[in-house]
Amino acid sequence: MRSYETVVIWAPSLSESEQETENGRVVEIIRGSSSEYKGIDVWGRRQLAYPIKKQTEGIYTFFRWDGASQTIDALDKMLRINERSLRHLTLKTGDEGPSASFGEEEEEE
């Protein structure tokens, strides 16, 4: 299995309970497709570089998981039709490059 990272920008109008529901749907798809869910980081509300769907802010959420490429297709389908999702991106991670997670860099001694 390969390691992946998915970043989703949710609409800023979502309440905390709605965010948890939407995040739960993403985790459900990951787990439902025989993939291993590793964790979630909610980066919070951030200013967008340019308006997306007439929104200037978004709620950034970061998911880590291991699985097959079929999971990407399922996530992509769900997030494309979800009106609460402004943008999403899934990246394959590994030894070849840095992770998108800012807080998990190893310090050299």
Side-chain angles (χ1 to χ4, degrees):
M1 283 197 275
R2 292 207 162 146
S3 295
Y4 294 95
E5 298 174 340
T6 301
V7 178
V8 180
I9 304 175
W10 299 112
S13 60
L14 293 180
S15 67
E16 265 190 55
S17 63
E18 291 172 327
Q19 288 176 43
E20 290 176 13
T21 301
E22 294 299 334
N23 291 339
R25 291 177 65 195
V26 172
V27 171
E28 190 176 299
I29 288 174
I30 292 170
R31 288 186 175 151
S33 62
S34 317
S35 295
E36 184 181 349
Y37 171 70
K38 295 290 192 176
I40 183 173
D41 288 328
V42 178
W43 293 346
R45 187 180 301 263
R46 307 264 175 125
Q47 186 76 26
L48 301 175
Y50 54 89
I52 301 172
K53 297 183 183 178
K54 299 183 181 180
Q55 301 292 324
T56 58
E57 289 185 333
I59 302 168
Y60 284 70
T61 308
F62 175 80
F63 300 89
R64 286 181 308 281
W65 54 279
D66 293 342
S69 61
Q70 293 84 359
T71 307
I72 297 172
D73 297 335
L75 281 172
D76 187 49
K77 181 178 179 180
M78 187 277 284
L79 292 169
R80 267 188 291 125
I81 62 174
N82 189 336
E83 294 179 2
R84 296 175 172 186
S85 167
L86 299 179
R87 283 279 198 279
H88 66 279
L89 177 67
T90 299
L91 299 172
K92 179 174 51 174
T93 61
D95 296 334
E96 67 273 354
S99 170
S101 57
F102 300 115
E104 297 186 12
E105 297 176 3
E106 294 182 18
E107 296 182 18
E108 295 183 25
E109 294 183 23

